[in-house]
Every structure is written in C-alpha cells, then in structure tokens.
mmCIF file with all atom_site columns, all heavy atoms in Angstrom:
data_model
loop_
_atom_site.group_PDB
_atom_site.id
_atom_site.type_symbol
_atom_site.label_atom_id
_atom_site.label_alt_id
_atom_site.label_comp_id
_atom_site.label_asym_id
_atom_site.label_entity_id
_atom_site.label_seq_id
_atom_site.pdbx_PDB_ins_code
_atom_site.Cartn_x
_atom_site.Cartn_y
_atom_site.Cartn_z
_atom_site.occupancy
_atom_site.B_iso_or_equiv
_atom_site.pdbx_formal_charge
_atom_site.auth_seq_id
_atom_site.auth_comp_id
_atom_site.auth_asym_id
_atom_site.auth_atom_id
_atom_site.pdbx_PDB_model_num
ATOM 1   N N   . MET I 1 1  ? 0.809  -1.201 0.000   1.00 43.00 ? 1  MET I N   1
ATOM 2   C CA  . MET I 1 1  ? 0.000  0.000  0.000   1.00 43.00 ? 1  MET I CA  1
ATOM 3   C C   . MET I 1 1  ? 0.849  1.260  0.000   1.00 43.00 ? 1  MET I C   1
ATOM 4   O O   . MET I 1 1  ? 0.518  2.207  -0.671  1.00 43.00 ? 1  MET I O   1
ATOM 5   C CB  . MET I 1 1  ? -0.927 0.027  1.220   1.00 43.00 ? 1  MET I CB  1
ATOM 6   C CG  . MET I 1 1  ? -2.076 -0.891 1.107   1.00 43.00 ? 1  MET I CG  1
ATOM 7   S SD  . MET I 1 1  ? -3.171 -0.233 -0.152  1.00 43.00 ? 1  MET I SD  1
ATOM 8   C CE  . MET I 1 1  ? -4.542 -1.240 0.080   1.00 43.00 ? 1  MET I CE  1
ATOM 9   N N   . SER I 1 2  ? 1.955  1.261  0.751   1.00 41.00 ? 2  SER I N   1
ATOM 10  C CA  . SER I 1 2  ? 2.758  2.479  0.798   1.00 41.00 ? 2  SER I CA  1
ATOM 11  C C   . SER I 1 2  ? 3.407  2.781  -0.551  1.00 41.00 ? 2  SER I C   1
ATOM 12  O O   . SER I 1 2  ? 3.598  3.927  -0.902  1.00 41.00 ? 2  SER I O   1
ATOM 13  C CB  . SER I 1 2  ? 3.809  2.393  1.904   1.00 41.00 ? 2  SER I CB  1
ATOM 14  O OG  . SER I 1 2  ? 4.717  1.349  1.618   1.00 41.00 ? 2  SER I OG  1
ATOM 15  N N   . ALA I 1 3  ? 3.739  1.750  -1.344  1.00 43.00 ? 3  ALA I N   1
ATOM 16  C CA  . ALA I 1 3  ? 4.311  1.987  -2.675  1.00 43.00 ? 3  ALA I CA  1
ATOM 17  C C   . ALA I 1 3  ? 3.280  2.640  -3.589  1.00 43.00 ? 3  ALA I C   1
ATOM 18  O O   . ALA I 1 3  ? 3.594  3.534  -4.359  1.00 43.00 ? 3  ALA I O   1
ATOM 19  C CB  . ALA I 1 3  ? 4.798  0.676  -3.290  1.00 43.00 ? 3  ALA I CB  1
ATOM 20  N N   . VAL I 1 4  ? 2.012  2.196  -3.489  1.00 42.00 ? 4  VAL I N   1
ATOM 21  C CA  . VAL I 1 4  ? 0.949  2.802  -4.288  1.00 42.00 ? 4  VAL I CA  1
ATOM 22  C C   . VAL I 1 4  ? 0.762  4.257  -3.886  1.00 42.00 ? 4  VAL I C   1
ATOM 23  O O   . VAL I 1 4  ? 0.632  5.136  -4.729  1.00 42.00 ? 4  VAL I O   1
ATOM 24  C CB  . VAL I 1 4  ? -0.376 2.007  -4.137  1.00 42.00 ? 4  VAL I CB  1
ATOM 25  C CG1 . VAL I 1 4  ? -1.515 2.742  -4.798  1.00 42.00 ? 4  VAL I CG1 1
ATOM 26  C CG2 . VAL I 1 4  ? -0.215 0.623  -4.702  1.00 42.00 ? 4  VAL I CG2 1
ATOM 27  N N   . GLY I 1 5  ? 0.768  4.540  -2.600  1.00 41.00 ? 5  GLY I N   1
ATOM 28  C CA  . GLY I 1 5  ? 0.637  5.909  -2.120  1.00 41.00 ? 5  GLY I CA  1
ATOM 29  C C   . GLY I 1 5  ? 1.791  6.786  -2.590  1.00 41.00 ? 5  GLY I C   1
ATOM 30  O O   . GLY I 1 5  ? 1.603  7.927  -2.956  1.00 41.00 ? 5  GLY I O   1
ATOM 31  N N   . ALA I 1 6  ? 2.993  6.223  -2.608  1.00 39.00 ? 6  ALA I N   1
ATOM 32  C CA  . ALA I 1 6  ? 4.148  6.995  -3.070  1.00 39.00 ? 6  ALA I CA  1
ATOM 33  C C   . ALA I 1 6  ? 4.027  7.328  -4.546  1.00 39.00 ? 6  ALA I C   1
ATOM 34  O O   . ALA I 1 6  ? 4.324  8.436  -4.974  1.00 39.00 ? 6  ALA I O   1
ATOM 35  C CB  . ALA I 1 6  ? 5.438  6.220  -2.799  1.00 39.00 ? 6  ALA I CB  1
ATOM 36  N N   . VAL I 1 7  ? 3.577  6.354  -5.356  1.00 37.00 ? 7  VAL I N   1
ATOM 37  C CA  . VAL I 1 7  ? 3.406  6.596  -6.790  1.00 37.00 ? 7  VAL I CA  1
ATOM 38  C C   . VAL I 1 7  ? 2.327  7.645  -7.014  1.00 37.00 ? 7  VAL I C   1
ATOM 39  O O   . VAL I 1 7  ? 2.490  8.556  -7.821  1.00 37.00 ? 7  VAL I O   1
ATOM 40  C CB  . VAL I 1 7  ? 3.056  5.283  -7.540  1.00 37.00 ? 7  VAL I CB  1
ATOM 41  C CG1 . VAL I 1 7  ? 2.654  5.575  -8.968  1.00 37.00 ? 7  VAL I CG1 1
ATOM 42  C CG2 . VAL I 1 7  ? 4.241  4.340  -7.499  1.00 37.00 ? 7  VAL I CG2 1
ATOM 43  N N   . ALA I 1 8  ? 1.216  7.563  -6.299  1.00 39.00 ? 8  ALA I N   1
ATOM 44  C CA  . ALA I 1 8  ? 0.154  8.564  -6.431  1.00 39.00 ? 8  ALA I CA  1
ATOM 45  C C   . ALA I 1 8  ? 0.675  9.942  -6.057  1.00 39.00 ? 8  ALA I C   1
ATOM 46  O O   . ALA I 1 8  ? 0.362  10.931 -6.704  1.00 39.00 ? 8  ALA I O   1
ATOM 47  C CB  . ALA I 1 8  ? -1.044 8.187  -5.554  1.00 39.00 ? 8  ALA I CB  1
ATOM 48  N N   . GLY I 1 9  ? 1.488  10.030 -5.007  1.00 38.00 ? 9  GLY I N   1
ATOM 49  C CA  . GLY I 1 9  ? 2.054  11.311 -4.607  1.00 38.00 ? 9  GLY I CA  1
ATOM 50  C C   . GLY I 1 9  ? 2.974  11.893 -5.665  1.00 38.00 ? 9  GLY I C   1
ATOM 51  O O   . GLY I 1 9  ? 2.973  13.084 -5.926  1.00 38.00 ? 9  GLY I O   1
ATOM 52  N N   . LEU I 1 10 ? 3.745  11.026 -6.328  1.00 35.00 ? 10 LEU I N   1
ATOM 53  C CA  . LEU I 1 10 ? 4.612  11.497 -7.403  1.00 35.00 ? 10 LEU I CA  1
ATOM 54  C C   . LEU I 1 10 ? 3.801  12.022 -8.570  1.00 35.00 ? 10 LEU I C   1
ATOM 55  O O   . LEU I 1 10 ? 4.145  13.022 -9.177  1.00 35.00 ? 10 LEU I O   1
ATOM 56  C CB  . LEU I 1 10 ? 5.529  10.365 -7.877  1.00 35.00 ? 10 LEU I CB  1
ATOM 57  C CG  . LEU I 1 10 ? 6.644  9.956  -6.918  1.00 35.00 ? 10 LEU I CG  1
ATOM 58  C CD1 . LEU I 1 10 ? 7.373  8.738  -7.460  1.00 35.00 ? 10 LEU I CD1 1
ATOM 59  C CD2 . LEU I 1 10 ? 7.613  11.101 -6.704  1.00 35.00 ? 10 LEU I CD2 1
ATOM 60  N N   . THR I 1 11 ? 2.709  11.362 -8.887  1.00 36.00 ? 11 THR I N   1
ATOM 61  C CA  . THR I 1 11 ? 1.864  11.810 -9.992  1.00 36.00 ? 11 THR I CA  1
ATOM 62  C C   . THR I 1 11 ? 1.281  13.180 -9.692  1.00 36.00 ? 11 THR I C   1
ATOM 63  O O   . THR I 1 11 ? 1.289  14.058 -10.549 1.00 36.00 ? 11 THR I O   1
ATOM 64  C CB  . THR I 1 11 ? 0.722  10.793 -10.248 1.00 36.00 ? 11 THR I CB  1
ATOM 65  O OG1 . THR I 1 11 ? 1.325  9.533  -10.525 1.00 36.00 ? 11 THR I OG1 1
ATOM 66  C CG2 . THR I 1 11 ? -0.149 11.220 -11.401 1.00 36.00 ? 11 THR I CG2 1
ATOM 67  N N   . LEU I 1 12 ? 0.813  13.396 -8.480  1.00 37.00 ? 12 LEU I N   1
ATOM 68  C CA  . LEU I 1 12 ? 0.268  14.694 -8.116  1.00 37.00 ? 12 LEU I CA  1
ATOM 69  C C   . LEU I 1 12 ? 1.340  15.767 -8.143  1.00 37.00 ? 12 LEU I C   1
ATOM 70  O O   . LEU I 1 12 ? 1.107  16.870 -8.621  1.00 37.00 ? 12 LEU I O   1
ATOM 71  C CB  . LEU I 1 12 ? -0.381 14.632 -6.726  1.00 37.00 ? 12 LEU I CB  1
ATOM 72  C CG  . LEU I 1 12 ? -1.681 13.831 -6.641  1.00 37.00 ? 12 LEU I CG  1
ATOM 73  C CD1 . LEU I 1 12 ? -2.122 13.727 -5.187  1.00 37.00 ? 12 LEU I CD1 1
ATOM 74  C CD2 . LEU I 1 12 ? -2.764 14.469 -7.487  1.00 37.00 ? 12 LEU I CD2 1
ATOM 75  N N   . ALA I 1 13 ? 2.523  15.455 -7.656  1.00 37.00 ? 13 ALA I N   1
ATOM 76  C CA  . ALA I 1 13 ? 3.593  16.445 -7.642  1.00 37.00 ? 13 ALA I CA  1
ATOM 77  C C   . ALA I 1 13 ? 3.988  16.838 -9.066  1.00 37.00 ? 13 ALA I C   1
ATOM 78  O O   . ALA I 1 13 ? 4.249  17.988 -9.351  1.00 37.00 ? 13 ALA I O   1
ATOM 79  C CB  . ALA I 1 13 ? 4.809  15.908 -6.891  1.00 37.00 ? 13 ALA I CB  1
ATOM 80  N N   . ALA I 1 14 ? 4.011  15.877 -9.983  1.00 39.00 ? 14 ALA I N   1
ATOM 81  C CA  . ALA I 1 14 ? 4.399  16.175 -11.359 1.00 39.00 ? 14 ALA I CA  1
ATOM 82  C C   . ALA I 1 14 ? 3.383  17.073 -12.047 1.00 39.00 ? 14 ALA I C   1
ATOM 83  O O   . ALA I 1 14 ? 3.711  17.799 -12.963 1.00 39.00 ? 14 ALA I O   1
ATOM 84  C CB  . ALA I 1 14 ? 4.562  14.874 -12.147 1.00 39.00 ? 14 ALA I CB  1
ATOM 85  N N   . ALA I 1 15 ? 2.144  17.040 -11.604 1.00 42.00 ? 15 ALA I N   1
ATOM 86  C CA  . ALA I 1 15 ? 1.100  17.836 -12.240 1.00 42.00 ? 15 ALA I CA  1
ATOM 87  C C   . ALA I 1 15 ? 1.041  19.264 -11.708 1.00 42.00 ? 15 ALA I C   1
ATOM 88  O O   . ALA I 1 15 ? 0.354  20.092 -12.253 1.00 42.00 ? 15 ALA I O   1
ATOM 89  C CB  . ALA I 1 15 ? -0.254 17.163 -12.035 1.00 42.00 ? 15 ALA I CB  1
ATOM 90  N N   . SER I 1 16 ? 1.762  19.546 -10.628 1.00 46.00 ? 16 SER I N   1
ATOM 91  C CA  . SER I 1 16 ? 1.693  20.881 -10.038 1.00 46.00 ? 16 SER I CA  1
ATOM 92  C C   . SER I 1 16 ? 2.455  21.894 -10.884 1.00 46.00 ? 16 SER I C   1
ATOM 93  O O   . SER I 1 16 ? 3.406  21.543 -11.571 1.00 46.00 ? 16 SER I O   1
ATOM 94  C CB  . SER I 1 16 ? 2.252  20.853 -8.615  1.00 46.00 ? 16 SER I CB  1
ATOM 95  O OG  . SER I 1 16 ? 3.649  20.672 -8.671  1.00 46.00 ? 16 SER I OG  1
ATOM 96  N N   . PRO I 1 17 ? 2.069  23.159 -10.840 1.00 47.00 ? 17 PRO I N   1
ATOM 97  C CA  . PRO I 1 17 ? 2.782  24.188 -11.603 1.00 47.00 ? 17 PRO I CA  1
ATOM 98  C C   . PRO I 1 17 ? 4.259  24.280 -11.253 1.00 47.00 ? 17 PRO I C   1
ATOM 99  O O   . PRO I 1 17 ? 5.066  24.621 -12.090 1.00 47.00 ? 17 PRO I O   1
ATOM 100 C CB  . PRO I 1 17 ? 2.047  25.479 -11.253 1.00 47.00 ? 17 PRO I CB  1
ATOM 101 C CG  . PRO I 1 17 ? 0.669  25.036 -10.893 1.00 47.00 ? 17 PRO I CG  1
ATOM 102 C CD  . PRO I 1 17 ? 0.863  23.693 -10.231 1.00 47.00 ? 17 PRO I CD  1
ATOM 103 N N   . ALA I 1 18 ? 4.623  23.962 -10.010 1.00 47.00 ? 18 ALA I N   1
ATOM 104 C CA  . ALA I 1 18 ? 6.018  24.031 -9.616  1.00 47.00 ? 18 ALA I CA  1
ATOM 105 C C   . ALA I 1 18 ? 6.858  23.047 -10.424 1.00 47.00 ? 18 ALA I C   1
ATOM 106 O O   . ALA I 1 18 ? 8.045  23.232 -10.613 1.00 47.00 ? 18 ALA I O   1
ATOM 107 C CB  . ALA I 1 18 ? 6.162  23.756 -8.119  1.00 47.00 ? 18 ALA I CB  1
ATOM 108 N N   . ALA I 1 19 ? 6.238  21.970 -10.918 1.00 53.00 ? 19 ALA I N   1
ATOM 109 C CA  . ALA I 1 19 ? 6.942  20.969 -11.702 1.00 53.00 ? 19 ALA I CA  1
ATOM 110 C C   . ALA I 1 19 ? 6.734  21.209 -13.196 1.00 53.00 ? 19 ALA I C   1
ATOM 111 O O   . ALA I 1 19 ? 6.939  20.316 -13.995 1.00 53.00 ? 19 ALA I O   1
ATOM 112 C CB  . ALA I 1 19 ? 6.451  19.584 -11.305 1.00 53.00 ? 19 ALA I CB  1
ATOM 113 N N   . ALA I 1 20 ? 6.324  22.388 -13.566 1.00 58.00 ? 20 ALA I N   1
ATOM 114 C CA  . ALA I 1 20 ? 6.035  22.699 -14.965 1.00 58.00 ? 20 ALA I CA  1
ATOM 115 C C   . ALA I 1 20 ? 7.291  22.587 -15.814 1.00 58.00 ? 20 ALA I C   1
ATOM 116 O O   . ALA I 1 20 ? 8.406  22.645 -15.323 1.00 58.00 ? 20 ALA I O   1
ATOM 117 C CB  . ALA I 1 20 ? 5.460  24.106 -15.067 1.00 58.00 ? 20 ALA I CB  1
ATOM 118 N N   . ALA I 1 21 ? 7.073  22.442 -17.101 1.00 77.00 ? 21 ALA I N   1
ATOM 119 C CA  . ALA I 1 21 ? 8.162  22.336 -18.055 1.00 77.00 ? 21 ALA I CA  1
ATOM 120 C C   . ALA I 1 21 ? 9.015  23.600 -18.043 1.00 77.00 ? 21 ALA I C   1
ATOM 121 O O   . ALA I 1 21 ? 8.600  24.645 -17.556 1.00 77.00 ? 21 ALA I O   1
ATOM 122 C CB  . ALA I 1 21 ? 7.585  22.111 -19.442 1.00 77.00 ? 21 ALA I CB  1
ATOM 123 N N   . SER I 1 22 ? 10.179 23.490 -18.598 1.00 92.00 ? 22 SER I N   1
ATOM 124 C CA  . SER I 1 22 ? 11.068 24.633 -18.725 1.00 92.00 ? 22 SER I CA  1
ATOM 125 C C   . SER I 1 22 ? 10.812 25.301 -20.076 1.00 92.00 ? 22 SER I C   1
ATOM 126 O O   . SER I 1 22 ? 10.632 24.623 -21.084 1.00 92.00 ? 22 SER I O   1
ATOM 127 C CB  . SER I 1 22 ? 12.510 24.135 -18.638 1.00 92.00 ? 22 SER I CB  1
ATOM 128 O OG  . SER I 1 22 ? 13.396 25.209 -18.752 1.00 92.00 ? 22 SER I OG  1
ATOM 129 N N   . TYR I 1 23 ? 10.780 26.620 -20.091 1.00 95.00 ? 23 TYR I N   1
ATOM 130 C CA  . TYR I 1 23 ? 10.467 27.371 -21.303 1.00 95.00 ? 23 TYR I CA  1
ATOM 131 C C   . TYR I 1 23 ? 11.608 28.304 -21.664 1.00 95.00 ? 23 TYR I C   1
ATOM 132 O O   . TYR I 1 23 ? 12.341 28.776 -20.797 1.00 95.00 ? 23 TYR I O   1
ATOM 133 C CB  . TYR I 1 23 ? 9.187  28.196 -21.106 1.00 95.00 ? 23 TYR I CB  1
ATOM 134 C CG  . TYR I 1 23 ? 7.971  27.339 -20.895 1.00 95.00 ? 23 TYR I CG  1
ATOM 135 C CD1 . TYR I 1 23 ? 7.536  27.028 -19.614 1.00 95.00 ? 23 TYR I CD1 1
ATOM 136 C CD2 . TYR I 1 23 ? 7.266  26.822 -21.972 1.00 95.00 ? 23 TYR I CD2 1
ATOM 137 C CE1 . TYR I 1 23 ? 6.423  26.218 -19.413 1.00 95.00 ? 23 TYR I CE1 1
ATOM 138 C CE2 . TYR I 1 23 ? 6.157  26.015 -21.782 1.00 95.00 ? 23 TYR I CE2 1
ATOM 139 C CZ  . TYR I 1 23 ? 5.742  25.721 -20.501 1.00 95.00 ? 23 TYR I CZ  1
ATOM 140 O OH  . TYR I 1 23 ? 4.649  24.914 -20.307 1.00 95.00 ? 23 TYR I OH  1
ATOM 141 N N   . SER I 1 24 ? 11.729 28.566 -22.950 1.00 96.00 ? 24 SER I N   1
ATOM 142 C CA  . SER I 1 24 ? 12.680 29.565 -23.428 1.00 96.00 ? 24 SER I CA  1
ATOM 143 C C   . SER I 1 24 ? 11.938 30.529 -24.343 1.00 96.00 ? 24 SER I C   1
ATOM 144 O O   . SER I 1 24 ? 10.865 30.210 -24.869 1.00 96.00 ? 24 SER I O   1
ATOM 145 C CB  . SER I 1 24 ? 13.848 28.899 -24.156 1.00 96.00 ? 24 SER I CB  1
ATOM 146 O OG  . SER I 1 24 ? 13.389 28.161 -25.265 1.00 96.00 ? 24 SER I OG  1
ATOM 147 N N   . PHE I 1 25 ? 12.514 31.706 -24.512 1.00 97.00 ? 25 PHE I N   1
ATOM 148 C CA  . PHE I 1 25 ? 11.868 32.781 -25.269 1.00 97.00 ? 25 PHE I CA  1
ATOM 149 C C   . PHE I 1 25 ? 12.863 33.294 -26.305 1.00 97.00 ? 25 PHE I C   1
ATOM 150 O O   . PHE I 1 25 ? 13.960 33.731 -25.953 1.00 97.00 ? 25 PHE I O   1
ATOM 151 C CB  . PHE I 1 25 ? 11.448 33.896 -24.302 1.00 97.00 ? 25 PHE I CB  1
ATOM 152 C CG  . PHE I 1 25 ? 10.566 33.393 -23.192 1.00 97.00 ? 25 PHE I CG  1
ATOM 153 C CD1 . PHE I 1 25 ? 11.119 32.963 -21.988 1.00 97.00 ? 25 PHE I CD1 1
ATOM 154 C CD2 . PHE I 1 25 ? 9.194  33.319 -23.352 1.00 97.00 ? 25 PHE I CD2 1
ATOM 155 C CE1 . PHE I 1 25 ? 10.314 32.490 -20.962 1.00 97.00 ? 25 PHE I CE1 1
ATOM 156 C CE2 . PHE I 1 25 ? 8.381  32.845 -22.329 1.00 97.00 ? 25 PHE I CE2 1
ATOM 157 C CZ  . PHE I 1 25 ? 8.939  32.425 -21.137 1.00 97.00 ? 25 PHE I CZ  1
ATOM 158 N N   . GLN I 1 26 ? 12.471 33.218 -27.567 1.00 96.00 ? 26 GLN I N   1
ATOM 159 C CA  . GLN I 1 26 ? 13.377 33.568 -28.663 1.00 96.00 ? 26 GLN I CA  1
ATOM 160 C C   . GLN I 1 26 ? 12.835 34.753 -29.447 1.00 96.00 ? 26 GLN I C   1
ATOM 161 O O   . GLN I 1 26 ? 11.841 34.625 -30.156 1.00 96.00 ? 26 GLN I O   1
ATOM 162 C CB  . GLN I 1 26 ? 13.548 32.364 -29.581 1.00 96.00 ? 26 GLN I CB  1
ATOM 163 C CG  . GLN I 1 26 ? 14.440 32.618 -30.758 1.00 96.00 ? 26 GLN I CG  1
ATOM 164 C CD  . GLN I 1 26 ? 14.508 31.409 -31.677 1.00 96.00 ? 26 GLN I CD  1
ATOM 165 O OE1 . GLN I 1 26 ? 14.069 30.324 -31.358 1.00 96.00 ? 26 GLN I OE1 1
ATOM 166 N NE2 . GLN I 1 26 ? 15.068 31.617 -32.848 1.00 96.00 ? 26 GLN I NE2 1
ATOM 167 N N   . PRO I 1 27 ? 13.486 35.914 -29.344 1.00 96.00 ? 27 PRO I N   1
ATOM 168 C CA  . PRO I 1 27 ? 13.013 37.088 -30.096 1.00 96.00 ? 27 PRO I CA  1
ATOM 169 C C   . PRO I 1 27 ? 13.433 37.025 -31.562 1.00 96.00 ? 27 PRO I C   1
ATOM 170 O O   . PRO I 1 27 ? 14.491 36.495 -31.895 1.00 96.00 ? 27 PRO I O   1
ATOM 171 C CB  . PRO I 1 27 ? 13.687 38.252 -29.378 1.00 96.00 ? 27 PRO I CB  1
ATOM 172 C CG  . PRO I 1 27 ? 14.937 37.659 -28.818 1.00 96.00 ? 27 PRO I CG  1
ATOM 173 C CD  . PRO I 1 27 ? 14.609 36.223 -28.477 1.00 96.00 ? 27 PRO I CD  1
ATOM 174 N N   . THR I 1 28 ? 12.571 37.541 -32.422 1.00 94.00 ? 28 THR I N   1
ATOM 175 C CA  . THR I 1 28 ? 12.885 37.745 -33.830 1.00 94.00 ? 28 THR I CA  1
ATOM 176 C C   . THR I 1 28 ? 12.433 39.155 -34.177 1.00 94.00 ? 28 THR I C   1
ATOM 177 O O   . THR I 1 28 ? 11.522 39.692 -33.542 1.00 94.00 ? 28 THR I O   1
ATOM 178 C CB  . THR I 1 28 ? 12.181 36.729 -34.751 1.00 94.00 ? 28 THR I CB  1
ATOM 179 O OG1 . THR I 1 28 ? 10.772 36.888 -34.622 1.00 94.00 ? 28 THR I OG1 1
ATOM 180 C CG2 . THR I 1 28 ? 12.552 35.299 -34.396 1.00 94.00 ? 28 THR I CG2 1
ATOM 181 N N   . TRP I 1 29 ? 13.055 39.756 -35.163 1.00 91.00 ? 29 TRP I N   1
ATOM 182 C CA  . TRP I 1 29 ? 12.762 41.145 -35.498 1.00 91.00 ? 29 TRP I CA  1
ATOM 183 C C   . TRP I 1 29 ? 12.379 41.300 -36.965 1.00 91.00 ? 29 TRP I C   1
ATOM 184 O O   . TRP I 1 29 ? 13.181 41.728 -37.778 1.00 91.00 ? 29 TRP I O   1
ATOM 185 C CB  . TRP I 1 29 ? 13.956 42.043 -35.186 1.00 91.00 ? 29 TRP I CB  1
ATOM 186 C CG  . TRP I 1 29 ? 14.209 42.178 -33.731 1.00 91.00 ? 29 TRP I CG  1
ATOM 187 C CD1 . TRP I 1 29 ? 13.666 43.098 -32.893 1.00 91.00 ? 29 TRP I CD1 1
ATOM 188 C CD2 . TRP I 1 29 ? 15.057 41.366 -32.920 1.00 91.00 ? 29 TRP I CD2 1
ATOM 189 N NE1 . TRP I 1 29 ? 14.114 42.912 -31.609 1.00 91.00 ? 29 TRP I NE1 1
ATOM 190 C CE2 . TRP I 1 29 ? 14.973 41.847 -31.598 1.00 91.00 ? 29 TRP I CE2 1
ATOM 191 C CE3 . TRP I 1 29 ? 15.872 40.263 -33.167 1.00 91.00 ? 29 TRP I CE3 1
ATOM 192 C CZ2 . TRP I 1 29 ? 15.674 41.278 -30.541 1.00 91.00 ? 29 TRP I CZ2 1
ATOM 193 C CZ3 . TRP I 1 29 ? 16.562 39.699 -32.122 1.00 91.00 ? 29 TRP I CZ3 1
ATOM 194 C CH2 . TRP I 1 29 ? 16.465 40.208 -30.827 1.00 91.00 ? 29 TRP I CH2 1
ATOM 195 N N   . PRO I 1 30 ? 11.127 40.993 -37.326 1.00 90.00 ? 30 PRO I N   1
ATOM 196 C CA  . PRO I 1 30 ? 10.703 41.303 -38.691 1.00 90.00 ? 30 PRO I CA  1
ATOM 197 C C   . PRO I 1 30 ? 10.661 42.827 -38.870 1.00 90.00 ? 30 PRO I C   1
ATOM 198 O O   . PRO I 1 30 ? 10.688 43.570 -37.881 1.00 90.00 ? 30 PRO I O   1
ATOM 199 C CB  . PRO I 1 30 ? 9.302  40.696 -38.789 1.00 90.00 ? 30 PRO I CB  1
ATOM 200 C CG  . PRO I 1 30 ? 8.878  40.427 -37.402 1.00 90.00 ? 30 PRO I CG  1
ATOM 201 C CD  . PRO I 1 30 ? 10.092 40.381 -36.525 1.00 90.00 ? 30 PRO I CD  1
ATOM 202 N N   . SER I 1 31 ? 10.562 43.297 -40.086 1.00 87.00 ? 31 SER I N   1
ATOM 203 C CA  . SER I 1 31 ? 10.631 44.739 -40.356 1.00 87.00 ? 31 SER I CA  1
ATOM 204 C C   . SER I 1 31 ? 9.506  45.534 -39.699 1.00 87.00 ? 31 SER I C   1
ATOM 205 O O   . SER I 1 31 ? 9.662  46.712 -39.427 1.00 87.00 ? 31 SER I O   1
ATOM 206 C CB  . SER I 1 31 ? 10.621 44.991 -41.865 1.00 87.00 ? 31 SER I CB  1
ATOM 207 O OG  . SER I 1 31 ? 9.412  44.508 -42.428 1.00 87.00 ? 31 SER I OG  1
ATOM 208 N N   . TRP I 1 32 ? 8.376  44.918 -39.412 1.00 87.00 ? 32 TRP I N   1
ATOM 209 C CA  . TRP I 1 32 ? 7.217  45.630 -38.879 1.00 87.00 ? 32 TRP I CA  1
ATOM 210 C C   . TRP I 1 32 ? 7.105  45.590 -37.365 1.00 87.00 ? 32 TRP I C   1
ATOM 211 O O   . TRP I 1 32 ? 6.168  46.115 -36.801 1.00 87.00 ? 32 TRP I O   1
ATOM 212 C CB  . TRP I 1 32 ? 5.923  45.093 -39.491 1.00 87.00 ? 32 TRP I CB  1
ATOM 213 C CG  . TRP I 1 32 ? 5.902  43.601 -39.616 1.00 87.00 ? 32 TRP I CG  1
ATOM 214 C CD1 . TRP I 1 32 ? 6.126  42.877 -40.753 1.00 87.00 ? 32 TRP I CD1 1
ATOM 215 C CD2 . TRP I 1 32 ? 5.678  42.645 -38.594 1.00 87.00 ? 32 TRP I CD2 1
ATOM 216 N NE1 . TRP I 1 32 ? 6.059  41.534 -40.488 1.00 87.00 ? 32 TRP I NE1 1
ATOM 217 C CE2 . TRP I 1 32 ? 5.774  41.360 -39.163 1.00 87.00 ? 32 TRP I CE2 1
ATOM 218 C CE3 . TRP I 1 32 ? 5.418  42.747 -37.228 1.00 87.00 ? 32 TRP I CE3 1
ATOM 219 C CZ2 . TRP I 1 32 ? 5.610  40.195 -38.431 1.00 87.00 ? 32 TRP I CZ2 1
ATOM 220 C CZ3 . TRP I 1 32 ? 5.245  41.578 -36.505 1.00 87.00 ? 32 TRP I CZ3 1
ATOM 221 C CH2 . TRP I 1 32 ? 5.345  40.323 -37.117 1.00 87.00 ? 32 TRP I CH2 1
ATOM 222 N N   . GLY I 1 33 ? 8.039  44.934 -36.659 1.00 89.00 ? 33 GLY I N   1
ATOM 223 C CA  . GLY I 1 33 ? 7.921  44.890 -35.205 1.00 89.00 ? 33 GLY I CA  1
ATOM 224 C C   . GLY I 1 33 ? 8.788  43.826 -34.591 1.00 89.00 ? 33 GLY I C   1
ATOM 225 O O   . GLY I 1 33 ? 9.963  43.715 -34.910 1.00 89.00 ? 33 GLY I O   1
ATOM 226 N N   . GLN I 1 34 ? 8.192  43.025 -33.713 1.00 95.00 ? 34 GLN I N   1
ATOM 227 C CA  . GLN I 1 34 ? 8.938  41.978 -33.042 1.00 95.00 ? 34 GLN I CA  1
ATOM 228 C C   . GLN I 1 34 ? 8.020  40.810 -32.711 1.00 95.00 ? 34 GLN I C   1
ATOM 229 O O   . GLN I 1 34 ? 6.855  41.002 -32.345 1.00 95.00 ? 34 GLN I O   1
ATOM 230 C CB  . GLN I 1 34 ? 9.570  42.507 -31.758 1.00 95.00 ? 34 GLN I CB  1
ATOM 231 C CG  . GLN I 1 34 ? 10.466 41.502 -31.079 1.00 95.00 ? 34 GLN I CG  1
ATOM 232 C CD  . GLN I 1 34 ? 11.323 42.128 -30.006 1.00 95.00 ? 34 GLN I CD  1
ATOM 233 O OE1 . GLN I 1 34 ? 10.971 43.141 -29.417 1.00 95.00 ? 34 GLN I OE1 1
ATOM 234 N NE2 . GLN I 1 34 ? 12.466 41.533 -29.737 1.00 95.00 ? 34 GLN I NE2 1
ATOM 235 N N   . ILE I 1 35 ? 8.564  39.605 -32.818 1.00 96.00 ? 35 ILE I N   1
ATOM 236 C CA  . ILE I 1 35 ? 7.878  38.388 -32.387 1.00 96.00 ? 35 ILE I CA  1
ATOM 237 C C   . ILE I 1 35 ? 8.783  37.715 -31.369 1.00 96.00 ? 35 ILE I C   1
ATOM 238 O O   . ILE I 1 35 ? 9.993  37.631 -31.569 1.00 96.00 ? 35 ILE I O   1
ATOM 239 C CB  . ILE I 1 35 ? 7.597  37.435 -33.565 1.00 96.00 ? 35 ILE I CB  1
ATOM 240 C CG1 . ILE I 1 35 ? 6.559  38.057 -34.495 1.00 96.00 ? 35 ILE I CG1 1
ATOM 241 C CG2 . ILE I 1 35 ? 7.129  36.071 -33.065 1.00 96.00 ? 35 ILE I CG2 1
ATOM 242 C CD1 . ILE I 1 35 ? 6.230  37.219 -35.710 1.00 96.00 ? 35 ILE I CD1 1
#
C-alpha cells in the first residue's frame, strides 16, 4: 500500500505548476515589429 501511495504522490507532484516544463523565449525582429 505504501508503494501505491508513493506513486500517487509522485503523480500529483508532477502535475503541479512548480513541476512545470522549462520554457525559453526567442526574439525575432521582422521589419514591422517583433515576435
């Protein structure tokens, strides 16, 4: 039972925003502005 509880806890932790994916931001400069 404790192994099942541990797995369930890991699943919940992975779904939290704190465990969110890592993001990067790449600017581009077309002639009319910026993306």
Side-chain angles (χ1 to χ4, degrees):
M1 285 290 190
S2 64
V4 172
V7 170
L10 288 174
T11 302
L12 290 174
S16 71
S22 180
Y23 295 94
S24 60
F25 304 91
Q26 179 183 349
T28 62
W29 291 272
S31 62
W32 41 259
Q34 185 167 27
I35 292 179

